Amino acid sequence: RYSTAVALEEPIKPPVEVNYTKLLINGEFVNSASGKTFPTLDPRTGDVIAHVAEGDAEDINRAVAAARKAFDEGPWPKMTAYERSRVLLRFADLIDKHTDELAALETWDNGKPHAQAANIEVPMFSRLFRYYAGWADKIHGLTVQADGPYHVQTLHEPIGVAGQIIPWNFPLLMFAWKVGPALATGNSIVLKTAEQTPLSALYAAKLLHEAGLPEGVLNVISGFGPTAGAALASHMDVDKLAFTGSTATGKIVTELAGRSNLKPVTLELGGKSPFIVCEDANIDKAVETAHFALFFNQGQCCCAGSRTFVHEKVYDEFIEKSKARAMKRVVGDPFQKGVEQGPQIDLEQFEKVMNYIKSGVESGATIETGGARFGDKGYYIQPTVFSNVQDNMLIAKDEIFGPVQSILKFKDLSEVIKRSNATNYGLAAGVFTQNLDTANTLTRALRAGTIWINCFDVFDAAIPFGGYKMSGHGREKGVYSLNNYLQVKAVVTSLKNPAW
Ligand code: NAD
């Protein structure tokens, strides 16, 4: 049922050494207080890449204390914004210089195609830091007109110690989305990486110190959610929490934040984004983009276009072409040239995706291609396309987070708007049409944080990203992300002689 694969023989040896496996606290790599470590695994085989220091509540306490000291005593928040900006620019240069190591670590730990890591994600990683470096010295308050003899101004100040929890699907980009705006605005940070992918963040944090970041400003804790993550979310001395991951965990960390010191929380959570192909769409382009929207990064994208709605008039043609495209998708060792799809991140996700495929079959959807494991080791899954998907099937409702495309049929615009919005999620949507009125109608009617018209997954440092409904709140990237890390202080000064 699935035609293209690169034979899996011995996994290719990654072109990088793992040099940083400890926790980064107060500018130093240290063991965890408990002395415990955990293995980080190669998704191609399930073999251990390295044993990494396992941080828990005590390490979070040490890291928060270091971040607090760095914030309260400086120099970071007290440096000129221009000096902070220069640190970030030097960091961006170092990222570019070390693209090979960063990309190799990202592919090894995560399983994503090496070309994707090296040509898209690492360049985007440095781009994001240059973008935020540009903001550092352009943050300022307002002069406000008030009724009365007062001079009123606002100061935009850093919020303090930011706790940041990131997932495993884009380890470096999630690092940048969180750390970039927090540093540009003068905060200090405790970053908890995902237990599946701790390696690239440690390497990047080392480069950031080489670029001149003072000790204690960024602390990186590898470890698990219910221990290290929960300790960070509930810490009384953390002033702000930013989280990306599942909606279920988003609810937990929001509760922990509320029960402790009511720290404000920004959340970037799951999605079940509609991808709408209208009857007048350029079908070949829509097929290719819908394929990319779903299968990119092994389907492990929060904004994946995972409900492909196709107008009935072009449905059969779309199915045939989507099936042919998926059958051509090249699966194999992510270090191999030409491979488009590597393994899923871990056994848990692999099993979860396989169970959704089973559920799709049981609920009566038609498998056009794929549907099975690829190879016999590691966590590879064949690119899978389901047709005849109905809205009430689990594969049309849940976030699968894998290479499984669900294609649904629709008749008219108002119907597809209702069906697209009939979800608790609201992260993104794709629209394919050549009609301006259709595009404008859908843009306004769809309840989602990003609408891509005749394109998908266009990410840019300046474009804000975030969710409606249970896909989260707050926006990352762009100018909007700065507010997540700023306090506004109103300063009211009585005027001695208002008439003057
Ligand atoms: P998760 O939400 O459990 O993990 C994300 C981060 O939260 C990790 O760093 C994890 O250690 C941490 N975490 C987990 N439990 C925590 C807790 N109790 N307190 C504090 N932090 C905690 O996600 P997952 O288990 O890795 O993946 C599950 C599902 O989440 C996926 O199948 C997918 O649907 C979704 N997901 C979404 C994104 C996204 O970008 N929005 C990313 C990864 C996973």
Side-chain angles (χ1 to χ4, degrees):
R1 286 218 204 100
Y2 161 70
S3 61
T4 312
V6 173
L8 292 173
E9 291 158 7
E10 273 312 290
I12 295 168
K13 191 177 171 325
V16 66
E17 299 283 312
V18 177
N19 292 326
Y20 307 106
T21 56
K22 295 186 177 183
L23 310 177
L24 180 63
I25 300 179
N26 207 27
E28 276 180 52
F29 283 109
V30 296
N31 290 320
S32 59
S34 67
K36 280 204 284 186
T37 61
F38 66 99
T40 185
L41 306 180
D42 182 341
R44 301 175 302 166
T45 55
D47 294 345
V48 176
I49 301 174
H51 292 274
V52 175
E54 180 183 333
D56 60 21
E58 206 176 324
D59 304 295
I60 291 289
N61 287 340
R62 290 196 290 163
V64 173
R68 183 88 261 159
K69 185 161 174 281
F71 185 77
D72 290 347
E73 295 176 17
W76 188 247
K78 296 174 184 144
M79 278 161 77
T80 67
Y82 178 51
E83 281 176 291
R84 284 205 303 270
S85 154
R86 292 185 57 173
V87 171
L88 300 183
L89 289 172
R90 281 198 297 268
F91 177 43
D93 290 345
L94 286 171
I95 294 169
D96 291 346
K97 195 170 145 200
H98 293 277
T99 297
D100 291 348
E101 294 92 324
L102 287 164
L105 284 175
E106 200 76 332
T107 291
W108 197 3
D109 220 7
N110 171 282
K112 64 181 67 219
H114 183 257
Q116 176 188 323
N119 303 333
I120 302 175
E121 294 179 22
V122 177
M124 190 58 178
F125 186 48
S126 59
R127 176 69 184 95
L128 281 154
F129 276 95
R130 289 199 180 93
Y131 175 82
Y132 283 113
W135 270 119
D137 59 358
K138 293 163 198 72
I139 292 161
H140 48 71
L142 301 171
T143 308
V144 177
Q145 291 295 335
D147 292 346
Y150 305 105
H151 171 69
V152 183
Q153 57 184 319
T154 57
L155 301 179
H156 291 188
E157 299 183 334
I159 199 163
V161 175
Q164 305 182 324
I165 300 177
I166 57 174
W168 44 262
N169 51 348
F170 295 95
L172 285 174
L173 292 179
M174 293 301 103
F175 178 113
W177 288 20
K178 299 273 182 293
V179 170
L183 290 186
T185 46
N187 296 273
S188 63
I189 300 168
V190 177
L191 176 76
K192 209 291 282 172
T193 51
E195 57 272 26
Q196 296 88 344
T197 52
L199 298 179
S200 58
L202 294 171
Y203 193 100
K206 154 80 177 39
L207 295 181
L208 190 40
H209 284 81
E210 225 175 287
L213 189 78
E215 62 189 24
V217 176
L218 172 67
N219 304 274
V220 182
I221 303 293
S222 317
F224 292 86
T227 47
L232 188 57
S234 49
H235 205 289
M236 292 298 287
D237 218 12
V238 169
D239 301 304
K240 192 255 158 359
L241 185 72
F243 171 84
T244 296
S246 63
T247 296
T249 308
K251 288 185 181 181
I252 296 175
V253 296
T254 305
E255 197 175 326
L256 294 174
R259 283 196 193 176
S260 51
N261 61 345
L262 271 176
K263 55 182 82 59
V265 182
T266 42
L267 299 170
E268 202 265 276
L269 307 174
K272 191 73 186 172
S273 299
F275 186 106
I276 301 171
V277 182
C278 300
E279 60 181 305
D280 65 345
N282 174 334
I283 293 300
D284 289 341
K285 192 170 174 219
V287 166
E288 184 58 35
T289 311
H291 176 85
F292 168 67
L294 187 283
F295 290 98
F296 178 61
N297 206 42
Q298 291 70 244
Q300 301 167 145
C301 296
C302 48
C303 57
S306 52
R307 287 183 294 154
T308 312
F309 287 103
V310 182
H311 192 273
E312 59 180 4
K313 284 202 182 135
V314 291
Y315 181 82
D316 291 341
E317 180 189 355
F318 190 91
I319 297 285
E320 273 320 301
K321 290 183 167 170
S322 297
K323 172 182 169 177
R325 177 61 184 94
M327 288 176 81
K328 276 207 308 228
R329 188 167 186 79
V330 184
V331 182
D333 188 317
F335 280 104
Q336 172 100 33
K337 237 181 155 177
V339 160
E340 295 176 282
Q341 181 177 317
Q344 307 307 118
I345 184 73
D346 62 10
L347 182 62
E348 190 183 328
Q349 288 295 316
F350 171 85
E351 286 178 342
K352 183 181 150 190
V353 176
M354 292 309 292
N355 280 333
Y356 276 116
I357 293 176
K358 201 163 146 239
S359 139
V361 173
E362 283 167 4
S363 59
T366 309
I367 287 204
E368 297 287 342
T369 180
R373 169 179 208 162
F374 169 66
D376 55 10
K377 80 177 159 193
Y379 313 124
Y380 295 90
I381 297 177
Q382 296 180 354
T384 300
V385 175
F386 275 111
S387 61
N388 293 319
V389 179
Q390 306 302 322
D391 294 10
N392 61 357
M393 294 178 182
L394 273 189
I395 56 168
K397 294 204 294 197
D398 290 5
E399 185 175 42
I400 300 176
F401 233 61
V404 181
Q405 186 175 28
S406 302
I407 307 183
L408 306 95
K409 194 188 278 187
F410 76 92
K411 269 190 172 60
D412 66 59
L413 218 53
S414 58
E415 170 209 334
V416 81
I417 289 169
K418 262 199 211 113
R419 291 169 64 194
S420 295
N421 285 337
T423 167
N424 286 329
Y425 293 120
L427 197 52
V431 171
F432 262 73
T433 178
Q434 306 201 47
N435 182 312
L436 191 60
D437 292 329
T438 307
N440 284 334
T441 303
L442 286 169
T443 299
R444 281 160 177 72
L446 294 171
R447 309 233 327 122
T450 300
I451 313 285
W452 282 296
I453 311 279
N454 295 328
C455 59
F456 204 87
D457 275 352
V458 176
F459 283 95
D460 183 289
I463 303 176
F465 185 79
Y468 281 36
K469 300 192 267 181
M470 281 163 71
S471 289
H473 35 80
R475 292 292 178 269
E476 295 192 293
K477 298 194 293 130
V479 59
Y480 299 90
S481 63
L482 302 171
N483 294 337
N484 298 333
Y485 296 98
L486 289 169
Q487 281 283 20
V488 177
K489 181 180 276 174
V491 184
V492 182
T493 309
S494 175
L495 293 176
K496 193 174 169 203
N497 185 355
W500 187 79

